Amino acid sequence: MDPGISPVPYASGATLYELVRNGRMDHTLEVGLGFGLSAQFICQAHQDKGSGTHIVIDPFQDVHYDGIGWLNIQRLGFEDMVTFVPEPSHAALPMLVGKGTQLDFAFIDGRHLFDYALLDFFFIDKMLRVGGIVVFDDIWSPGIRKVVAFVLRNYAYHRVSRPSEHHSSSGRRARRIARRLAQRPFLEHLSLKLIGENIVVLKKDAEDSRDDSYVPF
């Protein structure tokens, strides 16, 4: 297991649970299983509301995690509601699009490179219904912030503000913001740097109807 890899924190997992359960999100997907913590929150939400299926894409379970994420899903008895795809997301997501898969909710926590994360979003958007939610993890990463900024400027999505009851402490939020502000250029995507949490929640307002125009981000 790669010692540099950290699990999804409780506050982020609690947000995923609330979004899926309270929003009645029955068809969910995540890119990146890791330790399986985010999948556990999502599957618990499905179980508590009485319906739902979850797709997990992760080619690195055996390489970086010794299979612990999938084992945790099995230990909790969630495997019947989960489809595990051990393939790279750039291969798995187009396959799901081709099958006509429809989604209500997606959690993007794969590679943090701009192009990889953008590809994840691109294909997920093809499957996500209007009114659906996509959550990006690890906005400390400049590559992830760039993707979110691009989406907000060029797609029909808006950022969703969330209740504060599961937010981390004010000290932790301040430290996160300070680390992001130290990244250069200082003013680039400043509004995203000032988000106190490590995830950002976007809601889809309409299908993509762009022509060849492009809005700088």
Side-chain angles (χ1 to χ4, degrees):
M1 184 164 55
D2 187 338
I5 300 173
S6 60
V8 169
Y10 176 82
S12 297
T15 296
L16 299 179
Y17 174 89
E18 290 179 353
L19 290 168
V20 172
R21 182 178 183 182
N22 297 341
R24 304 297 302 177
M25 304 290 180
D26 279 349
H27 305 290
T28 61
L29 175 147
E30 70 178 303
V31 176
L33 177 60
F35 295 97
L37 296 181
S38 54
Q40 292 171 46
F41 279 101
I42 293 170
C43 290
Q44 187 65 57
H46 286 323
Q47 185 177 83
D48 290 349
K49 64 186 174 60
S51 62
T53 58
H54 189 49
I55 301 170
V56 175
I57 299 170
D58 189 342
F60 301 116
Q61 263 298 287
D62 292 333
V63 176
H64 295 310
Y65 296 94
D66 298 329
I68 190 65
W70 181 240
L71 180 60
N72 285 335
I73 294 298
Q74 293 175 307
R75 285 170 171 168
L76 291 170
F78 292 145
E79 66 269 24
D80 288 344
M81 70 176 72
V82 176
T83 299
F84 176 46
V85 184
E87 301 289 342
S89 59
H90 57 265
L93 289 170
M95 176 185 68
L96 293 173
V97 172
K99 290 181 177 180
T101 304
Q102 295 185 330
L103 299 174
D104 301 311
F105 177 93
F107 180 50
I108 297 177
D109 188 21
R111 296 197 67 181
H112 295 2
L113 295 173
F114 172 81
D115 46 349
Y116 278 82
L118 181 57
L119 275 176
D120 288 345
F121 169 80
F122 176 83
F123 288 112
I124 285 170
D125 175 68
K126 301 294 184 185
M127 297 181 278
L128 192 68
R129 66 171 173 82
V130 174
I133 295 289
V134 59
V135 180
F136 286 87
D137 193 29
D138 293 325
I139 60 168
W140 57 262
S141 167
I144 299 299
R145 291 198 303 271
K146 285 180 180 292
V147 173
V148 173
F150 172 78
V151 171
L152 290 174
R153 293 286 286 171
N154 287 275
Y155 280 76
Y157 282 74
H158 72 274
R159 188 166 74 85
V160 177
S161 298
R162 306 190 314 282
S164 60
E165 56 263 32
H166 291 299
H167 287 186
S168 54
S169 68
S170 58
R172 179 171 294 182
R173 294 200 300 272
R175 289 192 295 272
R176 284 174 175 167
I177 292 171
R179 286 194 295 267
R180 294 174 197 156
L181 292 176
Q183 295 173 335
R184 303 299 178 186
F186 174 76
L187 293 177
E188 184 177 66
H189 310 138
L190 182 59
S191 63
L192 297 176
K193 287 183 176 181
L194 295 176
I195 296 174
E197 291 71 49
N198 204 33
I199 62 175
V200 61
V201 180
L202 306 184
K203 186 173 185 178
K204 184 174 182 176
D205 298 320
E207 297 292 355
D208 184 16
S209 60
R210 295 171 296 162
D211 50 23
D212 289 336
S213 61
Y214 163 78
V215 180
F217 63 100

